[in-house]
Amino acid sequence: MNLITAKKLKKEYSQYRWQTNSNEIFTEEMTLFTLTGKDVTYSLAALESGHLAHVYYGKRADDEDLSYLMRLNENPYTPKVNKRDMGTFMDSAPFEYPCHGIGDYREPTIMLMDSEGMSALDLRFVSYEITDGKPILEQALEDCTVRIPATFAEKDEAQTLAITLKDNRTGLTAVLYYTVFAELDAITRSVRLINNGTKAFDVRRVMSACVDFDSCDYDFITLNGSWARERIIERSPLHHGKQSVDSVKGESSHQNNPFTALVSHNANEDIGEAFGFGLVYSGNFFAQAEVTQHKKTRFVMGINHFDFSWTLEPQKSFTAPEVVMVYSSEGIGKMSRTYHDLYRRHLIRGEYKDKRRPILINNWEATYFNFNTEKLIDIAKQASALGIEMLVMDDGWFGHRDSDNSSLGDWFVCEKKINGGLKYLVDEVNKLGMKFGIWFEPEMISPDSELYKAHPDWAIQINGMPLTQSREQYVLDYSRKEVRDYIYGLMCKILDSANIEYIKWDMNRQLTEVGSNALPAGRQRELWHRYVLGVYDVMDRLTSDYPHILLENCSGGGARFDAGMLFYSPQIWTSDDTDAIERLKIQHGTSICYPPSAMGAHVSDCPNHTVGRTTPFSTRGNVAMVGTFGYELDVTRISEQDRNEIPGQIEQFKKYNPLIRTGDQYRIGNVFEDNTWDAWIFVAKDKSEAVFTFVQVLGRPNYGSRRIKLKGLDPNGKYLSSETGEIHTGAALMNCGINITVHGDFSSKVIYFNRAD
Ligand code: GLA
């Protein structure tokens, strides 16, 4: 396997040279690195001066030497008679990991506050190493080492280039990691900083990746939203200056997602170039595209530098999280499919990685806080008779919790509600042939709790400032190991007390008054990141100690739908908005970079609790079928007619889930552009079968049927339609289309195509 090459080159240039200001012919020695994925090339060069230059990122070019693209002899600033100096070079040349303070006025990747109060750096090339596979990422803390979530690969699946840079004055060493995957158009980047100097310094900014694009002719795609409308796609052409998205909330957030893409203006689902950037991180992030004076684009992504600082003592290191860069020359759809494949194979782990998830029923929208053992068993009895496989007991089973206002942190069973005890309830549910799952919100503490009475200092807080309540709760200081150990200990007691096979890990408020009673003043700004590391530490312990438990993440709906969380939980609750029509946008936006198989999606009751809309039960099922599938309603109280549809929905889900979980998704409709219909198709990798879903948003008079062109099939294959019983070629189905007739608002249809040649 030879995915990465390193070549020493000598190039002759006949014009000005920034280093010497000479206009004679000069020779530049460099080491050129070329990373080659399936259809992607990434190239960079360590110049003689030690600067690390960006050379090319884009469609695969099997040319051994792309260094001709570098404009080492061009001077964009001054008339030809003038000589070029270092300042002009620094502010115009494309760099891999640009520093601040030495003449590059574009966005820097790194900044320090050193022992002398200086922030400038001058990182230069020292050495490189190429290895097979991909190293794991870790952060050593005072009392433990935390594994940082990242994609993984076997030795024959990927290669990694590690480039070491050093700033001589401070002793800062930065190791840039680039991993390229053999079978995918994906390159990952991360950075490790080491203090090889003699004095401590504070890292004030550390981006995980930078790409200096040679053009600004791109649209910027971001996923924005709010509670109950997460990951709504926004797309706008780049303009001069800086355009960014970020989170300052302590989690990846409802409002912006740690994913963005730059796409060519002509890009749509099927054509054009797309460069996706996803950060494998669940805390404050930053992503920015900056159009420069030369109409080029600098893109940077990493931990948000806002209110961030990390003290690095001599010989200590800091690991910045991973950016996953995906390239597509065949539109946004192909970019998404690459992310889906990458995350399904190289990020999601555990026993459920390649398995259909149990069809669950969650009692939240069925009962809210108002339930007890009898009620849950009633639901389970009905549910099991209909074929539902797992009962999930949501919020309200612990302490004395009857509303949002108490008991977080008191993870003891509320015997008043769970009369008979947890084991009894779980055993009864198991007797019905169902699994049992449970809800926790492990990062939180209610002011009204035993825990808060005993340890008020365990809440994140700033002494002397009023502590802001949100959802009537505070956030626990997960930077403290004793806090994590205590909460995890309580969780283990619950998990060991009964046969629990699923956990919904919730996180329902953002961080305020970000201060820790355990950190010294100089390290307080580390808390944002230490908090996230603490969460990762507990999730790591949980998934290692209880490998059989299926973990689903959740954060007030979908505020933590990020790649960091997918490392621990193969599924994430997509949104508290369960309305099938709202879900079209939410699920479409989420599928831009996350696999549908990871989307928590449930059939809920109508009128929908969030938007008040009533949709057909069948459409609710057809839309939820794209995700993990389950129910979130009181099955004992819904109409007989709806109830009777459940076994058929379950059968349909079981039949199509393997295809949806492992196949390729092609989005056909775009509800962001035309909100009157939506459609998508999942096609098996070998093109042997496909399942197509169409949803009509509003019924329309007098137009007749719609003609929809399918995608992703084998044009030469013949396919049997489950709807018409007719056989047509893939070419006909894709080039000419099929006629779709549905009647009524919010109606939908699923058609299965099976190879028949
Ligand atoms: C959050 C979740 C919901 C539910 C409630 C319980 O809002 O997103 O699904 O678990 O908390 O309080």
Side-chain angles (χ1 to χ4, degrees):
M1 200 177 49
N2 200 11
L3 307 176
I4 302 176
T5 58
K7 273 194 152 207
K8 277 213 181 303
L9 296 175
K10 276 190 183 177
K11 296 284 244 186
E12 283 202 341
Y13 293 94
S14 61
Q15 268 195 26
Y16 310 108
R17 187 184 199 188
W18 62 268
Q19 266 181 317
T20 60
N21 287 350
S22 108
N23 63 357
E24 290 148 21
I25 290 187
F26 68 88
T27 312
E28 173 84 21
E29 286 190 15
M30 64 181 85
T31 310
L32 182 77
F33 302 97
T34 308
L35 290 72
T36 312
K38 201 165 170 227
D39 188 35
V40 65
T41 296
Y42 192 100
S43 181
L44 59 150
L47 305 181
E48 204 174 305
S49 59
H51 290 101
L52 195 61
H54 177 71
V55 178
Y56 172 78
Y57 176 34
K59 192 164 172 61
R60 178 166 171 165
D62 284 327
D63 192 313
E64 299 219 316
D65 181 4
L66 294 174
S67 67
Y68 70 93
L69 292 169
M70 285 197 289
R71 300 180 174 97
L72 290 183
N73 55 338
E74 285 181 23
N75 185 347
Y77 272 116
T78 51
K80 276 210 157 101
V81 288
N82 287 346
K83 295 191 173 159
R84 187 182 190 195
D85 60 16
M86 181 159 165
T88 57
F89 171 75
M90 291 308 294
D91 205 25
S92 59
F95 290 118
E96 279 299 305
Y97 206 63
C99 298
H100 147 84
I102 51 172
D104 183 347
Y105 296 99
R106 296 162 291 179
E107 191 76 14
T109 51
I110 179 150
M111 283 175 78
L112 301 188
M113 178 60 66
D114 69 24
S115 58
E116 291 166 18
M118 302 302 163
S119 59
L121 282 168
D122 190 2
L123 286 168
R124 305 271 180 126
F125 178 77
V126 177
S127 61
Y128 73 91
E129 194 185 2
I130 297 171
T131 50
D132 288 342
K134 190 167 186 293
I136 62 167
L137 306 184
E138 285 180 338
Q139 178 64 54
L141 297 170
E142 294 72 16
D143 42 17
C144 65
T145 295
V146 178
R147 181 160 175 193
I148 300 201
T151 55
F152 49 83
E154 298 296 331
K155 283 203 167 11
D156 57 350
E157 292 174 325
Q159 262 184 347
T160 299
L161 167 67
I163 292 190
T164 300
L165 308 173
K166 191 170 177 197
D167 174 67
N168 280 331
R169 194 179 59 86
T170 56
L172 170 73
T173 298
V175 186
L176 314 185
Y177 294 95
Y178 298 78
T179 297
V180 56
F181 288 79
E183 293 302 324
L184 294 161
D185 297 326
I187 292 167
T188 61
R189 309 260 303 259
S190 65
V191 176
R192 188 159 164 257
L193 304 179
I194 305 141
N195 183 351
N196 284 320
T198 51
K199 291 178 182 156
F201 48 71
D202 292 345
V203 179
R204 291 283 165 92
R205 166 199 292 253
V206 49
M207 292 293 124
S208 298
C210 168
V211 179
D212 273 346
F213 288 89
D214 196 60
S215 146
C216 64
D217 293 328
Y218 298 109
D219 290 348
F220 194 35
I221 292 183
T222 55
L223 304 176
N224 313 308
S226 184
W227 174 76
R229 50 184 171 85
E230 296 90 343
R231 288 168 300 287
I232 301 301
I233 299 174
E234 254 184 41
R235 175 174 176 166
S236 50
L238 289 182
H239 54 79
H240 272 105
K242 299 174 175 181
Q243 35 255 274
S244 63
V245 285
D246 73 350
S247 166
V248 291
K249 301 192 155 191
E251 60 171 352
S252 41
S253 89
H254 294 97
Q255 289 71 21
N256 297 307
N257 192 265
F259 170 83
T260 63
L262 291 174
V263 304
S264 54
H265 295 313
N266 70 337
N268 63 22
E269 282 296 314
D270 310 306
I271 60 155
E273 282 197 300
F275 298 85
F277 297 91
L279 187 67
V280 189
Y281 190 57
S282 313
N284 290 352
F285 72 91
F286 178 72
Q288 180 179 278
E290 173 188 11
V291 176
T292 71
Q293 57 182 334
H294 304 301
K295 291 197 179 292
K296 319 251 187 253
T297 306
R298 171 167 290 175
F299 179 86
V300 297
M301 188 178 229
I303 290 182
N304 201 344
H305 48 279
F306 175 80
D307 204 22
F308 168 84
S309 182
W310 192 279
T311 302
L312 217 48
E313 301 285 345
Q315 307 317 314
K316 297 285 183 208
S317 71
F318 179 87
T319 304
E322 171 167 295
V323 169
V324 177
M325 309 198 308
V326 165
Y327 171 73
S328 160
S329 58
E330 293 163 46
I332 298 164
K334 169 86 185 304
M335 176 193 75
S336 299
R337 289 187 287 281
T338 302
Y339 271 111
H340 298 174
D341 283 341
L342 183 75
Y343 288 171
R344 290 188 300 202
R345 291 189 222 148
H346 297 282
L347 181 65
I348 290 173
R349 305 173 299 165
E351 289 186 4
Y352 282 97
K353 179 177 190 232
D354 298 317
K355 271 198 206 156
R356 176 175 75 71
R357 318 288 155 70
I359 298 160
L360 64 83
I361 185 158
N362 177 303
N363 75 309
W364 180 240
E365 286 192 24
T367 64
Y368 294 102
F369 292 105
N370 187 18
F371 63 88
N372 58 19
T373 300
E374 285 72 43
K375 180 68 204 169
L376 293 177
I377 290 175
D378 268 4
I379 292 177
K381 274 188 183 147
Q382 275 278 6
S384 67
L386 296 165
I388 297 172
E389 300 164 328
M390 178 160 75
L391 176 78
V392 175
M393 177 171 70
D394 210 280
D395 191 358
W397 57 265
F398 50 93
H400 58 274
R401 186 149 164 111
D402 285 322
S403 75
D404 278 347
N405 70 3
S406 85
S407 304
L408 294 167
D410 294 347
W411 301 107
F412 332 107
V413 175
C414 169
E415 301 275 345
K416 209 172 84 197
K417 275 186 183 173
I418 310 304
N419 36 316
L422 186 60
K423 183 163 170 29
Y424 169 75
L425 170 62
V426 178
D427 286 349
E428 289 302 298
V429 171
N430 286 168
K431 274 187 212 155
L432 294 165
M434 291 176 93
K435 295 178 190 299
F436 185 88
I438 196 165
W439 180 97
F440 283 102
E441 196 178 357
E443 297 155 69
M444 297 296 150
I445 177 166
S446 301
D448 176 9
S449 65
E450 298 302 315
L451 184 61
Y452 192 71
K453 262 182 232 145
H455 297 286
D457 61 309
W458 281 12
I460 286 182
Q461 60 196 272
I462 296 177
N463 292 325
M465 257 178 118
L467 193 42
T468 303
Q469 282 188 23
S470 175
R471 252 180 77 141
E472 300 179 68
Q473 63 201 53
Y474 302 138
V475 184
L476 280 168
D477 182 356
Y478 258 48
S479 73
R480 294 170 71 167
K481 190 162 178 298
E482 58 189 318
V483 174
R484 308 199 297 268
D485 288 349
Y486 175 80
I487 295 292
Y488 184 57
L490 291 186
M491 289 175 79
C492 291
K493 271 196 190 146
I494 295 288
L495 298 177
D496 296 341
S497 73
N499 182 26
I500 292 169
E501 298 180 78
Y502 162 107
I503 291 175
K504 179 173 170 187
W505 177 312
D506 212 337
M507 194 281 193
N508 280 319
R509 65 155 286 183
Q510 290 77 39
L511 277 54
T512 55
E513 294 85 35
V514 176
S516 166
N517 280 307
L519 289 172
R523 287 194 177 271
Q524 286 290 347
R525 294 349 297 145
E526 298 178 11
L527 182 54
W528 292 105
H529 184 53
R530 283 178 179 268
Y531 177 82
V532 178
L533 294 176
V535 172
Y536 289 156
D537 174 46
V538 179
M539 285 197 184
D540 208 33
R541 288 195 238 172
L542 180 64
T543 47
S544 316
D545 294 346
Y546 298 92
H548 307 305
I549 290 183
L550 170 60
L551 181 63
E552 174 157 349
N553 258 283
C554 173
S555 177
R560 250 190 193 166
F561 210 119
D562 61 58
M565 285 296 144
L566 284 180
F567 188 66
Y568 305 99
S569 60
Q571 59 194 60
I572 302 175
W573 185 227
T574 316
S575 176
D576 276 346
D577 194 335
T578 51
D579 171 68
I581 300 303
E582 296 302 309
R583 278 289 182 125
L584 297 177
K585 280 189 181 159
I586 296 168
Q587 293 181 182
H588 181 126
T590 305
S591 77
I592 287 290
C593 57
Y594 303 110
S597 54
M599 292 183 202
H602 297 166
V603 174
S604 62
D605 204 0
C606 276
N608 178 269
H609 293 197
T610 306
V611 286
R613 185 178 287 136
T614 297
T615 53
F617 201 75
S618 57
T619 295
R620 285 175 257 161
N622 291 341
V623 173
M625 183 176 76
V626 172
T628 58
F629 197 71
Y631 293 85
E632 180 131 356
L633 40 72
D634 188 344
V635 71
T636 65
R637 288 191 0 214
I638 58 172
S639 74
E640 196 63 36
Q641 199 190 343
D642 286 353
R643 202 167 23 243
N644 289 341
E645 281 193 45
I646 291 179
Q649 282 183 339
I650 288 177
E651 199 186 322
Q652 173 175 282
F653 171 72
K654 283 185 175 166
K655 179 168 176 202
Y656 298 136
N657 179 258
L659 177 50
I660 290 173
R661 217 167 9 86
T662 62
D664 286 328
Q665 183 198 30
Y666 292 80
R667 294 176 293 256
I668 297 175
N670 186 345
V671 281
F672 296 97
E673 282 168 10
D674 178 354
N675 193 16
T676 62
W677 64 281
D678 200 1
W680 55 84
I681 189 168
F682 286 88
V683 182
K685 291 273 179 201
D686 64 1
K687 312 267 181 205
S688 61
E689 54 174 349
V691 59
F692 166 79
T693 306
F694 177 88
V695 181
Q696 170 161 282
V697 176
L698 289 181
R700 44 183 214 159
N702 198 24
Y703 288 105
S705 60
R706 276 190 174 87
R707 183 157 304 164
I708 304 290
K709 292 177 181 172
L710 305 189
K711 291 183 185 179
L713 303 172
D714 176 356
N716 301 317
K718 289 187 174 154
Y719 293 90
L720 170 69
S721 159
S722 68
E723 186 191 34
T724 61
E726 291 174 8
I727 295 175
H728 294 289
T729 60
L733 298 170
M734 294 192 292
N735 301 341
C736 317
I738 57 173
N739 294 331
I740 295 283
T741 314
V742 286
H743 193 65
D745 294 350
F746 317 131
S747 49
S748 64
K749 177 171 276 192
V750 172
I751 306 174
Y752 175 64
F753 292 91
N754 201 8
R755 197 74 180 242
D757 49 3

